[in-house]
Amino acid sequence: MSDFTADKIARAYLMRVAEPPAPALATFVSQHGPIEAAERVKRGACPQPVLAEVTGRLDGDRAAHDLEQAAAGGTRLVTPEDTEWPAGPLSDLAGVQASGFPAMAPPLGLWVRGPARLNEAAERAISIVGSRASTGYGEYHASEFAYDLAGHGISIVAGASYGIDGSAHRGALHANGTTVAVLGCAIDQIYPAGHAHLLRSIAASGALVSEYSPGTVPGIRRFAARSRIVAALTAGTVVVEAGRHSGTRETVSAAEILGRTLMAMPGPVSSALSYGCHALIGSGDATLVASVDDILHTTGLGEPSTTT
């Protein structure tokens, strides 16, 4: 028999029975606590909006199995009852949800693999995002930004996707800094497959993070949902490259709703992958940043260097 707490078992159960974000369930848990909420969900004794989110997924209680399977693979479940929970950053999600943004509902818990503690990583963190079909120009600067920011003790948060995300993670790793990858699938799913080595490297020194129970496969909706966590865990988001219809719009939108600092790096006027960045800068939604000093100054996470 496992030694998992009742709170943790209850949250593991609730995390499997509803597809995140689950605003009605999140509110229900905040009102009744995870143990009572789980018992009521099992009995169907909960409001209709909650039932609508869990209907079709009540296929047995797999909480203990999920926790044991995760632990066997070096993954832990971090919940609001734990000291590792980044309470400040993630409480902002509950605040904006209550203000009329249900898709910003906070996660019920986070599966984590790696030595980095989430609460500490989120104290000084910046997300670097951008196009999957990136250019060498974008990849170089994403890596350099991440490398130099890591040297200032700042954690780099991204989604482990191809392109800009991967370059940002690698830059932080090369600086022996902390990098956090928020996934759109379970941690036991190696996705994207071409980043298998990168994901192992992040897990060895930083953290892989997911709100999805073991075995959950990648999905477009899940990539969009994880963007709110990427934005919430950081003081600001830097968009390095983004096309006209870039998927980075999900993270950009989340950062704006949360009131996080939004920054964008300019690029060649001839590059379609700089269109999104230029649009954000031109509209005034994002601050133009062209160096790590710009990022430090804009976010207030450090003073610009005085070297010449």
Side-chain angles (χ1 to χ4, degrees), residues 23 29 31 39 216 292:
V29 173
Q31 292 171 340
E39 289 303 319
T216 305
V292 166

Side-chain angles (χ1 to χ4, degrees), residues 6-7 13 19 21 23 30 85 98 113-114 117 121 137 148 204 248 255 262 300:
D7 283 334
Y13 168 77
E19 177 76 18
S30 69
W85 185 256
R113 179 181 296 174
R117 290 179 60 83
Y137 168 85
D148 290 340
T248 59
L262 185 59

Side-chain angles (χ1 to χ4, degrees), residues 229-245:
I229 300 175
V230 171
L233 289 175
T234 66
T237 292
V238 180
V239 184
V240 172
E241 280 189 320
R244 184 182 296 268
H245 303 294

Side-chain angles (χ1 to χ4, degrees), residues 13-30 37 41 46-59 97 101-106 108 221-222 228:
Y13 168 77
L14 293 167
M15 289 171 71
R16 180 170 284 283
V17 299
E19 177 76 18
L25 181 58
T27 299
F28 192 63
V29 173
S30 69
V41 168
C46 44
Q48 183 57 42
V50 177
L51 290 175
E53 290 179 350
V54 303
T55 296
R57 302 190 71 172
L58 301 176
D59 56 350
Q97 177 201 348
F101 296 93
M104 296 290 286
L108 297 175
R221 179 181 175 184
R222 292 166 183 160
R228 75 194 197 285

Side-chain angles (χ1 to χ4, degrees), residues 68-96:
E68 291 166 357
Q69 179 182 344
T75 296
R76 61 192 181 277
L77 177 59
V78 179
T79 69
E81 292 77 30
D82 299 322
T83 57
E84 186 182 350
W85 185 256
L90 295 185
S91 67
D92 291 343
L93 288 171
V96 297

